[in-house]
Amino acid sequence: MKIKTLISALSLLSLLFITAVKAEEEVAPLTDIFVVTIKDSDREAFEAALRAHMQFRVNQGEPNKWHVYTQVVGEELETYILRSCCTNWDKIAEHADWSKNAKTTPHWRKHVGKYVVDSAHYYSRYDTENSSWDDDKQFKYFGVESLKIAPGKGIQAREAIKQVSDVAKQMQWQDSWSWHTRIGGEAQVQLVFGYQAYEDMMPPEKSFYQRLVEQLGSDDEARAMIESYGSVFSSSNYAIYVLRKSLSSPASRSK
């Protein structure tokens, strides 16, 4: 009887956990992301085709707005990020129906796809709770740190991100930052910083760690927090992206 009771209790806890995660996913906005890689020799032709495709989508009544980004510092300079925010699970099928009726996929394959050598599609969940983004600023550059979560460290990663983000908010860390969890592929999160110009990337007078020591009042506590944060990730990669407005969704339909 005790074993049956334990199994029932564990089943209930699992159900509650799944329900809580599902509820969180439904509340948190999703970003639709395509990652496209080309040959550098095709860059001019690809960008011309991409511009025409974006105009085609708007002419067809595209309900979503797409922003395009490329790396200016990093290891994937032939990669383009096509990003549309925001959607959610209950809106995905609706947009897919629009895309099918608008015949956007055949148009892409005919005009743009011939330049693509590799592509990936995934969604990204915006972590509104742990982010601190200045919506009043128009950012042109974005520092993106991609962090791969170590196996079995998913829960610890969420706790570490919240702990560091809470302290950063308490000490009013000056940067605009946002957290995003990738859905699809390897377990990964992105920490994104927004910049209006290159000079905004200059290091502050006091580093994050120095401010953290002051906030916590202890070098040992600050070091322990940073070490705990670092232990939940297996690797990281940093790149700087620029928003390519000329390749993004145009503001109006063509005449």
Side-chain angles (χ1 to χ4, degrees):
M1 180 64 70
K2 290 184 179 179
I3 294 177
K4 289 183 178 180
T5 302
L6 177 59
I7 292 175
S8 298
L10 290 174
S11 298
L12 178 59
L13 287 173
S14 298
L15 178 60
L16 290 173
F17 175 77
I18 293 171
T19 303
V21 171
K22 184 177 179 182
E24 181 182 357
E25 290 180 353
E26 290 174 349
V27 171
L30 297 178
T31 299
D32 197 356
I33 298 175
F34 286 85
V35 182
V36 176
T37 304
I38 65 166
K39 293 181 180 178
D40 186 62
S41 57
D42 290 333
R43 188 179 300 275
E44 185 175 346
F46 168 78
E47 290 191 357
L50 181 58
R51 261 187 223 100
H53 179 73
M54 288 298 186
Q55 185 64 68
F56 172 79
R57 298 180 74 95
V58 171
N59 291 347
Q60 295 295 100
E62 165 73 274
N64 294 356
K65 186 173 179 62
W66 293 89
H67 293 88
V68 178
Y69 306 83
T70 54
Q71 285 189 7
V72 290
V73 174
E75 301 173 341
E76 300 175 355
L77 300 180
E78 288 80 37
T79 295
Y80 291 70
I81 308 297
L82 284 59
R83 181 177 184 272
S84 177
C85 185
C86 296
T87 184
N88 221 315
W89 297 114
D90 57 347
K91 300 294 183 182
I92 292 174
E94 181 181 329
H95 186 264
D97 289 341
W98 170 85
S99 181
K100 182 179 180 180
N101 293 331
K103 297 181 172 56
T104 58
T105 299
H107 189 276
W108 172 274
R109 288 174 178 167
K110 180 178 179 180
H111 300 283
V112 189
K114 57 187 175 183
Y115 302 112
V116 175
V117 297
D118 194 18
S119 63
H121 177 219
Y122 57 89
Y123 293 99
S124 180
R125 186 182 303 112
Y126 178 30
D127 183 353
T128 55
E129 179 185 355
N130 293 314
S131 300
S132 178
W133 197 258
D134 190 341
D135 293 320
D136 294 328
K137 291 183 178 179
Q138 297 295 318
F139 296 114
K140 181 179 180 180
Y141 299 99
F142 302 85
V144 180
E145 185 171 13
S146 298
L147 300 153
K148 290 184 180 179
I149 300 174
K153 295 288 188 177
I155 294 177
Q156 292 91 327
R158 293 179 65 176
E159 292 173 346
I161 288 170
K162 177 171 174 53
Q163 184 181 43
V164 170
S165 298
D166 284 348
V167 173
K169 291 177 182 179
Q170 290 167 9
M171 65 186 188
Q172 297 182 335
W173 182 246
Q174 66 270 27
D175 290 320
S176 237
W177 80 86
S178 60
W179 287 98
H180 304 263
T181 302
R182 194 171 79 173
I183 301 172
E186 294 180 289
Q188 186 177 135
V189 295
Q190 283 84 33
L191 175 58
V192 181
F193 297 92
Y195 304 102
Q196 293 177 297
Y198 279 120
E199 53 263 33
D200 295 335
M201 302 179 197
M202 287 289 293
E205 292 184 7
K206 291 185 178 181
S207 68
F208 181 87
Y209 183 78
Q210 289 174 316
R211 293 279 303 278
L212 184 61
V213 171
E214 292 177 355
Q215 178 68 25
L216 299 179
S218 167
D219 183 78
D220 289 340
E221 286 188 35
R223 187 179 301 276
M225 180 181 292
I226 295 301
E227 289 178 352
S228 176
Y229 170 83
S231 69
V232 299
F233 302 111
S234 60
S235 65
S236 66
N237 181 277
Y238 183 78
I240 298 174
Y241 290 82
V242 61
L243 171 61
R244 302 289 302 279
K245 287 187 177 181
S246 66
L247 301 177
S248 302
S249 296
S252 59
R253 300 186 183 190
S254 59
K255 296 181 180 179

